[in-house]
Amino acid sequence: MNINATLINLYHVCQRECWLHTNGINMEHTSDTVYDGKLLHETSYPQRAEKYTEIELSAVLNDEIILTGKIDFYDAKEKIIHETKRSDKIEEAHEWQVKYYIWLLELNGIEDVEAILEYPTLRHKNLVKLSEADKQHLLSIIRNIAQLKVSDNCPPKINAKICKSCSYYELCYIDE
Ligand code: SF4
């Protein structure tokens, strides 16, 4: 079974969204937010691709779960991951996404990495570190995501503000 950074992020936003995504129901191609995010990466720091490395990582957990992640901008010299986001509305999910990257690097023998979450349109940055308690949390939610992946039951709607900008909004609320 594969678990990636997107699922770690989505799990912290909405378990229903995580379930829909992991069951192959993808509506991101219709989402302006996703397009917007991609554009932000390309336009905010145009020289970034030359300075930092893009790396793809994987690790096997308990011989059964394959963890994967792709870090777009890694500064190998300073051991810093740079992750750019537009809005800090789901900052907690962003934090867990980069903590997962730090942990994946650690599982591959690269220790003492930190991450900087960058919100260029808000002129806001957040330094993220990984603690032992964070690793326990990641292990626990990976178990939960693994259960979600094999479950036939779609979790309930969360009726939150964030729903309005979710690519599944119409699917969740169209009949209401
Ligand atoms: S619209 Fe709301 S309830 Fe539905 S998947 Fe998105 S965040 Fe979850």
Side-chain angles (χ1 to χ4, degrees):
M1 177 184 291
N2 285 299
I3 290 187
N4 60 24
T6 302
L7 293 179
I8 300 287
N9 181 320
L10 293 181
Y11 183 86
H12 288 91
V13 178
C14 168
Q15 291 189 25
R16 181 182 175 91
E17 188 176 0
C18 188
W19 186 92
L20 288 165
H21 182 84
T22 201
N23 279 281
I25 303 164
N26 287 312
M27 304 181 81
E28 273 85 354
H29 60 282
T30 62
S31 166
D32 288 343
T33 311
V34 170
Y35 174 72
D36 203 30
K38 284 186 179 144
L39 207 60
L40 181 73
H41 263 283
E42 288 159 15
T43 55
S44 295
Y45 305 101
Q47 288 88 28
R48 180 158 284 192
E50 295 163 23
K51 198 171 161 202
Y52 303 143
T53 315
E54 178 183 295
I55 44 174
E56 291 196 36
L57 294 159
S58 65
V60 180
L61 201 62
N62 302 331
D63 289 333
E64 55 175 345
I65 298 179
I66 300 165
L67 306 174
T68 59
K70 183 162 87 68
I71 303 171
D72 291 329
F73 301 108
Y74 179 57
D75 181 341
K77 190 163 162 248
E78 302 295 332
K79 290 189 167 182
I80 299 271
I81 296 162
H82 293 266
E83 181 69 26
T84 310
K85 303 288 188 191
R86 178 169 292 278
S87 160
D88 61 359
K89 275 189 214 149
I90 51 166
E91 191 163 10
E92 189 195 347
H94 298 157
E95 284 180 6
W96 284 111
Q97 180 186 340
V98 294
K99 282 180 180 180
Y100 171 77
Y101 289 148
I102 298 172
W103 187 48
L104 260 185
L105 283 164
E106 207 174 288
L107 292 173
N108 281 274
I110 304 166
E111 303 201 341
D112 303 321
V113 174
E114 295 177 349
I116 300 177
L117 275 171
E118 301 174 357
Y119 301 91
T121 55
L122 304 174
R123 299 179 187 275
H124 168 60
K125 288 186 182 182
N126 177 9
L127 179 67
V128 181
K129 300 179 184 191
L130 181 73
S131 69
E132 285 304 316
D134 293 335
K135 287 184 222 172
Q136 292 308 314
H137 174 79
L138 283 168
L139 279 170
S140 151
I141 62 147
I142 282 164
R143 278 195 291 271
N144 293 349
I145 293 171
Q147 283 171 2
L148 262 188
K149 273 183 95 115
V150 295
S151 169
D152 291 335
N153 299 320
C154 181
K157 290 173 264 189
I158 59 171
N159 292 305
K161 251 189 188 171
I162 195 77
C163 293
K164 290 260 167 67
S165 51
C166 175
S167 58
Y168 295 111
Y169 181 77
E170 288 189 12
L171 186 147
C172 287
Y173 296 102
I174 196 91
D175 292 332
E176 293 191 345

